[in-house]
Amino acid sequence: SMMPSPSYNYAYFNATTMLISTTICVAFFWAYFQFILVARISVEDMQDKPSSDLLEEIQETINQGVHLYLSAKFKACGAFICIFSIIVFAWISYTSGDVLWGFLTTISFWSGASTSMSCGYAGIKMAVFSNVRTVVCAEQQQNQGGGWAWSFNTPFRAGLANGFQVSGSMLLSFYS
């Protein structure tokens, strides 16, 4: 059998690295671009000032609830990660006969778990952030007699921002 030359492997590595790095950058750029489009919608733009004040109050209340939920969820996830890390380390070290392999597998587990938790945090924050802006768009279109495109596009863009951020984060986590 013919073995590929070292220069071939090096070129393959460089091409793969460039493709993955470019994909990660595009994902983060597109997520940021979609977030900016959503963030440009101001709650203060509502024509009905009492409704604007009420929306800001509702958003703040939801943010407080989300903060409490995430605090409780992260405590539970943190406990699970700590306990399961010990199990992963012990099992891999025992079955492979190599403590270093167990340690590296545990680090990979931590990397995946922290990436997953940070993506969940960003996703729920983005959802709350875009909810009020969706209402603002719907109110503006109702008063202007236009279609409902912006009130549809706002949560869609928030979902795109979250989806591309998750994709980029996971690809970065897998590749690193």
Side-chain angles (χ1 to χ4, degrees), residues 10 20 23 27 41 45 55-56 72 79 81 84-85 88 90 105 111 117 126-127 142 147 150 154 168 172 176:
Y10 182 72
I20 292 172
T23 304
I41 301 165
D45 288 348
L55 276 178
E56 287 177 353
I81 290 168
F84 211 76
S85 293
V88 166
T105 303
S111 173
M117 288 173 61
M126 187 64 186
Q142 182 180 11
W150 279 103
T154 301
L172 180 63
S176 59

Side-chain angles (χ1 to χ4, degrees), residues 44-89:
E44 288 81 28
D45 288 348
M46 286 194 76
Q47 294 174 355
D48 184 10
K49 187 62 179 161
S51 294
S52 174
D53 294 340
L54 179 61
L55 276 178
E56 287 177 353
E57 184 180 327
I58 290 170
Q59 182 179 18
E60 183 56 35
T61 302
I62 292 172
N63 272 329
Q64 290 172 0
V66 164
H67 179 71
L68 292 173
Y69 168 77
L70 288 173
S71 294
K73 187 60 117 178
F74 284 175
K75 285 178 187 174
C77 286
F80 174 82
I81 290 168
C82 288
I83 292 167
F84 211 76
S85 293
I86 294 168
I87 294 169
V88 166
F89 176 76

Side-chain angles (χ1 to χ4, degrees), residues 119-174:
C119 288
Y121 177 85
I124 199 165
K125 287 294 197 175
M126 187 64 186
V128 171
F129 182 77
S130 69
N131 280 343
V132 171
R133 283 151 181 83
T134 302
V135 173
V136 170
C137 287
E139 187 265 347
Q140 287 175 346
Q141 289 175 338
Q142 182 180 11
N143 290 339
Q144 296 170 2
W148 296 97
W150 279 103
S151 55
F152 172 78
N153 287 343
T154 301
F156 188 77
R157 285 185 172 135
L160 281 171
N162 187 45
F164 277 95
Q165 177 264 331
V166 167
S167 298
S169 296
M170 289 301 176
L171 191 55
L172 180 63
S173 176
F174 290 151

